[in-house]
């Protein structure tokens, strides 16, 4: 089974959201554990199976059970696992089961670090809606499940920093202007002082200390202090600050270094247009540059949501799935080389996505 079978219609990242020129997406996660069961269950197979059965049964008792698909991770094929990982549904802590809503915006990991980890994704900066989506599932599950909690600590979790509300919020931001101006680290230090974490999304960039493509995840680090409202207000404030600051430096870059900015964006576009192969690192850098050009008013003919979706579509797992299920004709000298076929297909997809791009003089 693969992830495509879970999602009806366009995935969440194909849509536009508030302030999506800077904040690409929002993710909210709630951690819960069943009362009277060990957590995490670790290697106790019977305990793991029992917990998964109870949680799957609880989803079947929701008012809208047909909106959810449940599957044991052991039944997922390699493509499904890889695609779910690339879309942020799976991480290093592999669960025993996955529940996905039809639209792909809401998911639940069963028996990972905690018994239940409900997550919701939203395009743009939209913490309130993502939290509302998680809460709706949480409240419905609590009609048939008892979660471990105490008056003193709130919800009880495997990790102390996840106790309390059990909530973690992360926003993904695109900050090329701050990176180009050399101001990103200064801004991040201010954000870290507020108790938030900052991490690279796609690994290190070509310059030391920068993230590839200038994509960063900003996240809460603890849910044990303060209410859900307080925690949400903290990261929303950081998000609004990043939006305001990135836009300010975008204007400064356009005003003070227009030639260097144009050169970077034009070179990136030319690299994509005339490449036969594209690695993932090259593609992330190119998409970032085109998005920067679009948000600066230098580029037209493509939308922020299309560029966001493109970053998911060009991941290795997504491309391997296409190669397995589609009919493609490749040059004779690369037909037996899977990696080269992936890089060739990636280049073709990027070039097709960029067909309508034009530069504003």
């Amino acid at each position: 089974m693969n992830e495509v079978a879970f999602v009806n219609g366009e995935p969440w990242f194909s849509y536009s959201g508030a302030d999506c020129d800077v904040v690409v997406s929002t993710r909210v996660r709630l951690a819960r554990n069943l009362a009277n069961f060990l957590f995490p269950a670790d290697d106790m197979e019977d305990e793991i199976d029992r917990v998964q059965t109870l949680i799957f049964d609880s989803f079947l008792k929701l008012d809208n059970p047909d909106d959810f698909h449940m599957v044991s991770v052991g039944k997922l094929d390699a493509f499904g696992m890889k695609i779910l990982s690339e879309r942020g549904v799976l991480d290093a802590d592999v669960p025993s089961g996955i529940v996905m809503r039809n639209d792909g915006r809401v998911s639940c990991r069963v028996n990972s670090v905690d018994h239940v980890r409900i997550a919701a994704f939203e395009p743009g900066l939209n913490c309130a809606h993502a939290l509302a989506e998680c809460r709706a599932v949480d409240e419905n599950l609590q009609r048939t499940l008892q979660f471990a909690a105490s008056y003193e600590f709130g919800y009880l979790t495997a990790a102390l920093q996840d106790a309390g509300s059990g909530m973690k919020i992360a926003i993904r931001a695109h900050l090329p202007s701050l990176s180009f101006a050399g101001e990103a680290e200064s801004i991040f230090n201010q954000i870290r002082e507020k108790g938030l974490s900052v991490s690279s999304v796609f690994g290190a960039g070509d310059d030391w200390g920068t993230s590839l493509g200038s994509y960063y995840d900003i996240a809460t680090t603890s849910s044990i202090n303060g209410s859900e409202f307080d925690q949400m207000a903290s990261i929303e404030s950081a998000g609004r600050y990043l939006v305001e600051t990135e836009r300010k430096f975008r204007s400064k870059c356009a005003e003070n270094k227009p030639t260097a900015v144009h050169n970077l964006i034009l070179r990136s576009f030319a690299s994509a247009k005339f490449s036969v192969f594209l690695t993932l690192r090259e593609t992330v850098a190119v998409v970032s540059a085109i998005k920067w050009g679009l948000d600066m008013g230098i580029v037209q003919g493509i939308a922020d949501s299309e560029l966001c979706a493109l970053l998911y579509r060009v991941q290795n797992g997504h491309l391997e799935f296409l190669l397995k299920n589609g009919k493609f004709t490749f040059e004779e000298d690369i037909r037996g080389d899977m990696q080269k076929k992936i890089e060739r297909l990636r280049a073709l997809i990027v070039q097709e996505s960029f067909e309508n791009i034009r530069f504003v003089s």
Side-chain angles (χ1 to χ4, degrees):
M1 184 177 291
N2 55 70
E3 195 273 349
V4 175
F6 285 112
V7 180
N8 294 335
E10 292 295 321
W12 65 267
F13 48 75
S14 297
Y15 296 91
S16 294
D19 299 311
C20 64
D21 59 315
V22 178
V23 179
V24 177
S25 61
T26 302
R27 177 181 182 267
V28 172
R29 185 219 69 198
L30 298 180
R32 302 286 188 262
N33 287 282
L34 301 191
N36 304 317
F37 284 86
L38 294 176
F39 53 90
D42 291 331
D43 296 326
M44 299 177 64
E45 187 108 14
D46 292 343
E47 193 96 336
I48 290 171
D49 291 343
R50 178 62 177 152
V51 167
Q52 179 169 299
T53 298
L54 288 170
I55 293 168
F56 279 10
D57 285 348
S58 187
F59 272 97
L60 290 172
K61 293 172 183 174
L62 299 185
D63 295 333
N64 54 339
D66 292 340
D67 288 349
F68 294 89
H69 295 272
M70 289 151 280
V71 64
S72 294
V73 167
K75 295 182 179 178
L76 284 171
D77 62 22
F79 295 113
M81 291 283 288
K82 191 173 287 189
I83 290 171
L84 285 170
S85 178
E86 290 170 354
R87 295 195 178 187
V89 176
L90 290 178
D91 60 15
D93 299 303
V94 179
S96 69
I98 289 287
V99 183
M100 287 279 289
R101 203 170 72 183
N102 291 342
D103 60 6
R105 289 184 182 235
V106 177
S107 64
C108 177
R109 284 184 285 160
V110 180
N111 287 322
S112 55
V113 176
D114 296 285
H115 291 150
V116 177
R117 285 200 163 188
I118 306 162
F121 294 89
E122 287 291 325
L125 181 59
N126 200 341
C127 299
H129 196 267
L131 175 58
E133 294 276 28
C134 285
R135 267 182 172 168
V137 174
D138 178 37
E139 290 169 2
N140 277 309
L141 291 179
Q142 292 198 48
R143 294 187 304 182
T144 53
L145 296 173
Q146 183 180 353
F147 290 140
S150 75
Y151 286 109
E152 184 178 1
F153 294 106
Y155 289 104
L156 304 179
T157 54
L160 180 61
Q161 66 268 22
D162 290 327
S165 69
M167 182 177 70
K168 183 173 184 177
I169 307 180
I171 59 174
R172 180 160 295 180
H174 182 235
L175 306 169
S177 305
L178 286 172
S179 299
F180 186 79
E183 296 290 336
E185 192 58 33
S186 173
I187 299 300
F188 294 155
N189 285 336
Q190 296 177 47
I191 289 174
R192 292 185 185 107
E193 288 174 1
K194 298 180 183 296
L196 303 174
S197 68
V198 180
S199 59
S200 300
V201 176
F202 297 105
D206 294 331
D207 298 324
W208 184 88
T210 64
S211 174
L212 179 62
S214 299
Y215 289 96
Y216 294 90
D217 281 342
I218 292 86
T220 54
T221 56
S222 175
S223 61
I224 199 166
N225 296 316
S227 66
E228 290 178 347
F229 177 82
D230 294 332
Q231 293 161 26
M232 186 169 65
S234 173
I235 200 160
E236 281 193 332
S237 174
R240 286 192 293 270
Y241 177 61
L242 287 174
V243 169
E244 177 185 331
T245 309
E246 170 65 20
R247 288 173 180 168
K248 180 177 73 175
F249 276 92
R250 187 187 298 161
S251 298
K252 287 186 176 181
C253 290
E255 181 180 347
N256 298 330
K257 296 187 177 181
T259 306
V261 170
H262 274 76
N263 178 64
L264 188 155
I265 295 166
L266 284 166
R267 282 172 62 90
S268 295
F269 178 76
S271 172
K273 183 175 181 179
F274 296 108
S275 289
V276 176
F277 304 110
L278 280 174
T279 67
L280 181 58
R281 283 186 62 85
E282 290 169 338
T283 303
V284 170
V286 165
V287 171
S288 171
I290 296 302
K291 176 170 167 53
W292 194 27
L294 172 68
D295 297 331
M296 281 189 132
I298 296 170
V299 168
Q300 292 181 349
I302 197 166
D304 276 313
S305 57
E306 293 176 81
L307 292 167
C308 176
L310 186 58
L311 285 176
Y312 289 91
R313 292 173 56 206
V314 299
Q315 298 287 324
N316 286 344
H318 287 68
L319 296 178
E320 287 178 41
F321 177 80
L322 286 178
L323 288 171
K324 178 185 176 183
N325 293 278
K327 293 182 179 180
F328 301 94
T329 301
F330 292 97
E331 293 81 356
E332 184 176 352
D333 59 329
I334 67 167
R335 287 176 190 164
D337 189 329
M338 175 58 75
Q339 187 57 42
K340 286 301 179 187
K341 287 195 292 185
I342 288 173
E343 292 177 4
R344 181 76 178 110
L345 182 57
R346 183 181 288 120
L348 292 170
I349 288 173
V350 171
Q351 287 158 8
E352 181 183 35
S353 300
F354 287 1
E355 277 183 353
N356 296 322
I357 284 180
R358 60 189 183 277
F359 286 81
V360 180
S361 57

